[in-house]
């Protein structure tokens, strides 16, 4: 029945294909070949050394076309023709050792090296069959942690997400979740977009001819873009994957207005409270925060959770948030505050807002026109006045993580804002280089430092400071010497078992200056 051969120069083939194609691209190219042949069903079988693909489409009559590659007359022409339906076979040349093809009543079987060398390949008569069959032998899994059938299964599941033709692999039909006819795709100038408002708008996967192209999204949920089959947008072919040049901007510019339109539709469909609960994060994360401007509810997650995050330094990774919604009328009662960042390292303003039960706005992504900004009071620590009762104890040279802090123990402590009549009782506040405490303060290390050094939380330093603060409070306490001793006991004596002390009673005797004089058992 004659012979066929690769007419193009070997060097051009290597330059054009070798760096572009691999096992993954071969599977996609063969699927596309079957789809172009009008197949309604594709069967793929893989064992540890071979992959066979059969389809029920129109049998390929021109076997030479399977080995044709465009002459290097121009990069644009190569790219335009690289999507031709019969180039799938060529993608197998560098990772399969043997190729067998059976189309209708003809076929060929040859080592792939012979094709690359440009040798004539004999086409022989074959038993009639419907459709086309391609068998690749000598294929290895590209992943050492998977055998070939496992890898083929995983990759086909990825390839078939939006593929319009049914695919059966080793007897099991593969899911095609993005090919379901009930999905609400939106038409755009470059193709159809399937939006997920629970996914970031900048995370998307492109598909052309039903196959994914370009980089995979970094999140499990994403926007899907199904490009028109005839699109000239540059992600259309494996020679220029999505994400290079202006492709990313073109696709993102298509997704953004569609995403906004979907948010507006949801806003019209839902009540104000439902819309805020479901989509406030989507609005803020997608630069569509203005859609929240006229909704009279604010998620309490926008405000500081004083129980989980008391005033003071907040360590990276602490993510507890308040739950529920606040209506704008209730916010007028509670008061909404924002702290001016300059000079607030002492957190006195946080202590004041917390003491009066105010809501501290921490969400920074709101649109400038949001109604909250009409209700916010901005303050700084300089506006907070500290009022203390009698001083019980003082240490102007406290040994803490930050050495320039003076410890002061007082009987009672209040804070007040300039211009406000009411003071509020607190147990600890840091201002003007002093950490002022009451006996109920506890180890308020959060007002000393975040204890992060070289990107690591120094737990030992924080524990040492906590012990120092507790000992200081105990030393000036009015509740007797037992509390002082209890505070200064080292953790090793308190928590580590010591058989020599089992059941023992020990008496400590102190001199007039408070120094330990004797220990009696």
């Amino acid at each position: 029945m004659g012979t066929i051969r690769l007419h193009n120069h070997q060097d051009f083939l290597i330059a054009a294909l070798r760096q572009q194609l691999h096992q993954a691209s071969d599977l996609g190219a063969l699927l596309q070949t079957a789809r172009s042949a009008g197949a309604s069903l594709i069967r793929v079988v893989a064992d540890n050394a071979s992959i066979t693909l059969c389809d029920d489409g129109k049998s390929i009559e021109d076997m030479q076309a399977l080995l044709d590659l465009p002459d290097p007359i121009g990069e644009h022409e190569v790219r335009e023709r690289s999507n031709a339906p019969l180039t799938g076979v060529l993608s197998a040349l560098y990772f399969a050792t043997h190729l067998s093809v059976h189309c209708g009543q003809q076929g060929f079987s040859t080592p792939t090296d012979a094709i690359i060398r440009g040798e004539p390949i004999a086409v022989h008569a074959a038993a009639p069959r419907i459709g086309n069959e391609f068998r690749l032998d000598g294929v290895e899994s590209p992943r050492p942690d998977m055998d070939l059938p496992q890898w083929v299964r995983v990759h086909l599941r990825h390839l078939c997400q939006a593929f319009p033709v049914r695919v059966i692999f080793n007897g099991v039909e593969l899911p095609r979740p993005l090919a379901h006819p009930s999905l609400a795709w939106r038409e755009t100038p470059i193709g159809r977009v399937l939006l997920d408002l629970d996914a970031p708008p900048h995370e998307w996967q492109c598909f052309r001819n039903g196959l994914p192209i370009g980089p995979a999204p970094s999140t499990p949920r994403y926007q899907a873009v199904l490009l028109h089959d005839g699109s000239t947008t540059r992600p259309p072919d494996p020679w220029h994957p999505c994400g290079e040049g202006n492709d990313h901007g073109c696709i993102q510019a298509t997704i953004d207005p569609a995403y906004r339109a979907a948010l507006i539709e949801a806003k019209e469909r839902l009540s104000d409270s439902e819309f805020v609960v479901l989509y406030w994060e989507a609005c803020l994360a997608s630069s569509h925060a203005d859609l929240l401007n006229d909704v009279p509810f604010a998620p309490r997650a926008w405000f500081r959770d004083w129980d989980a995050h008391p005033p003071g330094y907040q360590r990276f990774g602490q993510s507890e948030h308040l739950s529920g919604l606040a209506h704008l009328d209730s916010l007028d009662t509670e008061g909404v505050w924002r702290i001016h960042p300059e000079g607030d390292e002492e957190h006195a303003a946080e202590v004041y807002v917390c003491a009066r039960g105010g809501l501290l706005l921490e969400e920074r992504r709101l649109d400038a026109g949001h109604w909250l900004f009409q209700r916010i009071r901005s303050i700084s620590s300089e506006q907070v006045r500290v009022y203390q009762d009698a001083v019980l104890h003082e240490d102007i040279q406290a040994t803490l993580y930050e050495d320039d802090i003076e410890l002061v123990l007082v009987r009672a402590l209040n804070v007040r804002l300039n211009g406000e009549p009411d003071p509020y009782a607190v147990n600890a506040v840091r201002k003007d280089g002093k950490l002022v405490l009451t006996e109920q303060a506890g180890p308020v290390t959060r007002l000393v430092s975040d204890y992060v050094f070289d990107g690591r939380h120094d737990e030992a330093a924080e524990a040492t400071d906590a012990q120092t603060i507790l000992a200081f409070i105990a030393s000036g306490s009015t509740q007797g010497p037992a509390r002082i001793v209890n505070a200064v006991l080292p953790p090793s004596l308190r928590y580590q078992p010591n058989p020599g002390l089992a059941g023992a009673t020990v008496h400590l005797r102190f001199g007039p200056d408070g120094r330990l004089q004797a220990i009696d058992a």
Side-chain angles (χ1 to χ4, degrees), residues 49 54 78 98 151-152 166 182 185 197 213 276 285 332 354 442:
C54 303
V78 171
H98 197 278
W151 178 83
V152 172
R166 294 172 57 210
S182 65
W185 292 87
L197 294 182
I213 57 174
V276 172
D332 289 337
C354 178

Side-chain angles (χ1 to χ4, degrees), residues 2-32:
T3 61
I4 59 176
R5 63 182 299 169
L6 185 67
H7 293 299
N8 302 89
H9 193 276
Q10 177 182 351
D11 293 340
F12 172 65
L13 176 64
I14 293 174
L17 289 180
R18 192 165 195 173
Q19 301 303 320
Q20 303 290 335
L21 300 174
H22 41 76
Q23 288 93 325
S25 64
D26 176 54
L27 286 176
L30 291 175
L31 289 176
Q32 188 54 47

Side-chain angles (χ1 to χ4, degrees), residues 32-41 55-58 132 165:
Q32 188 54 47
T33 297
R35 182 196 178 195
S36 298
S40 61
L41 178 65
D55 66 63
D56 62 355
K58 181 181 178 181
N132 308 282
V165 181

Side-chain angles (χ1 to χ4, degrees), residues 14 79 132 150 198 205 213 332 370 380 417 437 453 493:
I14 293 174
R79 287 182 180 171
N132 308 282
Q150 290 173 327
D198 292 324
Q205 174 72 71
I213 57 174
D332 289 337
H370 196 279
S380 68
L417 189 67
L437 311 163
F453 182 73
L493 190 60

Side-chain angles (χ1 to χ4, degrees), residues 21-270:
L21 300 174
H22 41 76
Q23 288 93 325
S25 64
D26 176 54
L27 286 176
L30 291 175
L31 289 176
Q32 188 54 47
T33 297
R35 182 196 178 195
S36 298
S40 61
L41 178 65
I42 301 171
R43 297 183 183 274
V44 182
V45 177
D47 56 29
N48 287 328
S50 68
I51 301 174
T52 302
L53 183 144
C54 303
D55 66 63
D56 62 355
K58 181 181 178 181
S59 298
I60 298 171
E61 297 178 357
D62 184 3
M63 303 296 278
Q64 176 61 52
L66 291 172
L67 302 185
D68 280 346
L69 189 71
D71 290 327
I73 57 176
E75 183 181 17
H76 174 74
E77 289 81 356
V78 171
R79 287 182 180 171
E80 287 298 313
R81 294 182 60 189
S82 67
N83 285 308
L86 302 182
T87 58
V89 168
L90 294 179
S91 63
L93 297 184
Y94 291 102
F95 53 85
T97 60
H98 197 278
L99 173 65
S100 300
V101 177
H102 183 180
C103 302
Q105 301 182 51
Q106 58 182 336
F108 65 84
S109 181
T110 181
T112 54
D113 285 347
I115 299 177
I116 295 174
R117 290 193 297 267
E119 297 178 4
I121 309 300
V123 177
H124 57 77
R129 63 155 292 132
I130 297 175
N132 308 282
E133 177 182 291
F134 304 90
R135 179 182 173 92
L136 287 68
D137 288 289
V139 183
E140 297 181 356
S141 170
R143 290 183 50 173
D145 60 331
M146 293 183 179
D147 61 25
L148 185 60
Q150 290 173 327
W151 178 83
V152 172
R153 179 183 298 106
V154 169
H155 197 67
L156 280 177
R157 288 177 67 94
H158 171 66
L159 289 174
C160 292
Q161 295 175 81
F163 198 60
V165 181
R166 294 172 57 210
V167 177
I168 295 177
F169 173 68
N170 282 359
V172 179
E173 184 164 354
L174 299 176
R176 297 176 294 124
L178 298 180
H180 198 280
S182 65
L183 295 177
W185 292 87
R186 293 172 179 263
E187 290 292 339
T188 73
I190 66 171
R192 295 188 296 162
V193 175
L194 183 65
L195 298 173
D196 183 350
L197 294 182
D198 292 324
H202 57 273
E203 292 288 347
W204 39 264
Q205 174 72 71
C206 262
F207 300 84
R208 186 171 190 270
N209 296 327
L211 297 174
I213 57 174
S218 60
T219 56
R221 303 185 69 163
Y222 51 84
Q223 319 306 323
V225 181
L226 191 60
L227 297 171
H228 291 311
D229 287 355
S231 172
T232 57
T233 305
R234 292 182 65 183
D237 61 60
W239 297 79
H240 199 298
C242 167
E244 297 181 11
N246 294 323
D247 298 338
H248 186 280
C250 173
I251 293 171
Q252 193 64 60
T254 299
I255 292 175
D256 286 342
Y259 195 89
R260 181 179 179 86
L263 286 172
I264 292 174
E265 292 171 8
K267 184 178 180 181
E268 294 172 347
R269 183 177 70 253
L270 301 171

